[in-house]
Amino acid sequence: MNKIIWLTGLPCSGKTTIANELGRHINAEILDGDDIRSIIDNQDFSVEGRRKHMMMVAEMAFRFSKHTNVIVALVSPIKFVRDEIKSKYPNIIEVFVKCGIEECVRRDTKGLYKKAIAGEIKNFTGISAPYEEPVGVLKIETDKFSVQESVSLILENYFKSKQYSVFIGRYQPLHQGHVKLISRVLEEGKNVCVALRQTPIN
């Protein structure tokens, strides 16, 4: 089963930016929360409305993951719903995109935070609705890390494949020819697996 990278965090914390950049490094379908809400025209931001929306996105992501990796960029502020989703879809990897509220407000080009602070938008996460921070998951602090550094953390933790070189030869003592070959492969950044046959010679 392919991986589902679930980016959760405050509005304007950098989820979509990271999702788009990560998508340039891996083969993946990107599901962005704002895009999905506009497509299905769902404006229910109550606890139950958010739960239904999160569960629907999770089901979509799971179906896509049968064919490719998936990156979800969704505020998803409710911890018990995120836990419910992870228990139902075990290939979901939760990543916390953390950013201070002041920086999120500064980044907000749509002016949504300003409207929420003025009371024009109700149930806005981080202002009039809570965001429950994840615990025990990869945390990316986007007010400290660049986009590329943030993406590199995800790649290092979840997409770095180990490469091995296996040397198979007849029974003989280790000699400088072996050492030279092994050293060359190690210099290429690969690991070396040495297989030893410990049986009597006949």
Side-chain angles (χ1 to χ4, degrees), residues 15-56:
K15 299 180 299 298
T16 299
T17 302
I18 292 174
N20 289 332
E21 182 61 27
L22 179 60
R24 296 187 180 97
H25 293 265
I26 63 173
N27 182 33
E29 183 73 29
I30 298 175
L31 299 179
D32 186 86
D34 290 341
D35 292 341
I36 294 171
R37 276 196 181 274
S38 64
I39 291 170
I40 65 173
D41 194 26
N42 175 13
Q43 300 303 317
D44 184 356
F45 290 93
S46 66
V47 172
E48 184 56 29
R50 289 179 186 272
R51 179 185 175 278
K52 287 181 179 178
H53 185 68
M54 291 168 65
M55 296 301 293
M56 184 202 67

Side-chain angles (χ1 to χ4, degrees), residues 162-196:
K162 294 183 178 180
Q163 298 180 0
Y164 295 88
S165 292
V166 180
F167 294 88
I168 303 174
R170 68 182 188 275
Y171 182 89
Q172 57 181 291
L174 182 71
H175 57 70
Q176 285 304 309
H178 295 134
V179 175
K180 187 175 181 180
L181 284 170
I182 291 171
S183 298
R184 187 179 69 193
V185 172
L186 291 174
E187 288 170 2
E188 294 173 359
K190 300 177 183 177
N191 297 310
V192 176
C193 175
V194 179
L196 300 178

Side-chain angles (χ1 to χ4, degrees), residues 68-82:
T68 185
N69 294 309
V70 181
I71 307 166
V72 174
L74 189 67
V75 174
S76 40
I78 307 168
K79 184 181 183 301
F80 87 84
V81 181
R82 295 195 305 264

Side-chain angles (χ1 to χ4, degrees), residues 15-173:
K15 299 180 299 298
T16 299
T17 302
I18 292 174
N20 289 332
E21 182 61 27
L22 179 60
R24 296 187 180 97
H25 293 265
I26 63 173
N27 182 33
E29 183 73 29
I30 298 175
L31 299 179
D32 186 86
D34 290 341
D35 292 341
I36 294 171
R37 276 196 181 274
S38 64
I39 291 170
I40 65 173
D41 194 26
N42 175 13
Q43 300 303 317
D44 184 356
F45 290 93
S46 66
V47 172
E48 184 56 29
R50 289 179 186 272
R51 179 185 175 278
K52 287 181 179 178
H53 185 68
M54 291 168 65
M55 296 301 293
M56 184 202 67
V57 173
E59 178 63 25
M60 289 174 59
F62 178 72
R63 295 189 183 196
F64 277 123
S65 73
K66 294 177 182 178
H67 311 286
T68 185
N69 294 309
V70 181
I71 307 166
V72 174
L74 189 67
V75 174
S76 40
I78 307 168
K79 184 181 183 301
F80 87 84
V81 181
R82 295 195 305 264
D83 291 343
E84 181 182 358
I85 287 171
K86 287 187 291 185
S87 66
K88 185 175 182 180
Y89 307 104
N91 60 328
I92 286 180
I93 299 169
E94 186 178 3
V95 176
F96 178 24
V97 181
K98 181 177 175 60
C99 186
I101 191 74
E102 296 83 4
E103 179 63 16
C104 290
V105 172
R106 190 189 69 78
R107 295 176 181 177
D108 181 17
T109 57
K110 298 178 182 179
L112 299 178
Y113 274 100
K114 185 177 180 179
K115 291 181 180 179
I117 292 170
E120 298 175 27
I121 300 177
K122 306 298 182 185
N123 295 322
F124 190 83
T125 303
I127 302 298
S128 51
Y131 177 80
E132 299 171 353
E133 294 190 356
V135 177
V137 304
L138 178 64
K139 178 172 66 175
I140 298 175
E141 299 181 78
T142 59
D143 47 3
K144 297 180 181 178
F145 302 145
S146 68
V147 175
Q148 193 53 57
E149 288 172 332
S150 300
V151 169
S152 294
L153 280 171
I154 298 173
L155 293 173
E156 282 287 322
N157 278 274
Y158 303 117
F159 292 97
K160 185 178 180 182
S161 59
K162 294 183 178 180
Q163 298 180 0
Y164 295 88
S165 292
V166 180
F167 294 88
I168 303 174
R170 68 182 188 275
Y171 182 89
Q172 57 181 291

